[in-house]
Amino acid sequence: MAELSPTRVVITVIGKNRPGILAAITRVLGETNVDIRDITQSVIENIFTMTMLADTSACTLDFTGLQQELTAAGDEIGVSVQMQREDVFNFMYRL
């Protein structure tokens, strides 16, 4: 099992599928210097879901600032974006 890092976050996105979802979310991450470590996405019956593991050690925003930017980007395109620290996510879901 990989060692947990306090700078790693889990980002989840869900909503009705449409073009530009991945672009909108990764634009925020790129502009704030967040490194995407892993990503998975799927579309089932026109419902888009995406989960990312990202490293925020070089992020230009604090946790709350990044969370606000991702939420705003999701709101603009009509999807829900959640971000949690990796350790909190793992504790909640007992992975």
Side-chain angles (χ1 to χ4, degrees):
M1 182 170 149
E3 187 173 324
L4 294 179
S5 167
T7 61
R8 291 191 350 175
V9 296
V10 176
I11 301 165
T12 56
V13 181
I14 188 166
K16 184 177 178 186
N17 189 42
R18 62 170 292 240
I21 297 173
L22 181 63
I25 302 305
T26 57
R27 175 189 53 79
V28 171
L29 299 177
E31 288 175 353
T32 57
N33 208 33
V34 174
D35 182 26
I36 298 169
R37 295 296 177 94
D38 200 0
I39 183 172
T40 182
Q41 69 177 44
S42 65
V43 178
I44 302 171
E45 296 291 325
N46 208 32
I47 301 297
F48 176 91
T49 61
M50 176 170 62
T51 305
M52 290 187 219
L53 180 62
D55 186 331
T56 62
S57 59
C59 186
T60 57
L61 298 174
D62 65 9
F63 181 88
T64 301
L66 179 59
Q67 196 169 41
Q68 290 170 343
E69 288 294 315
L70 288 168
T71 298
D75 288 348
E76 286 179 20
I77 58 173
V79 296
S80 171
V81 182
Q82 302 293 318
M83 183 176 79
Q84 296 175 300
R85 288 183 173 84
E86 181 186 30
D87 57 348
V88 173
F89 180 88
N90 286 339
F91 179 78
M92 287 179 58
Y93 296 100
R94 307 288 196 274
L95 297 177

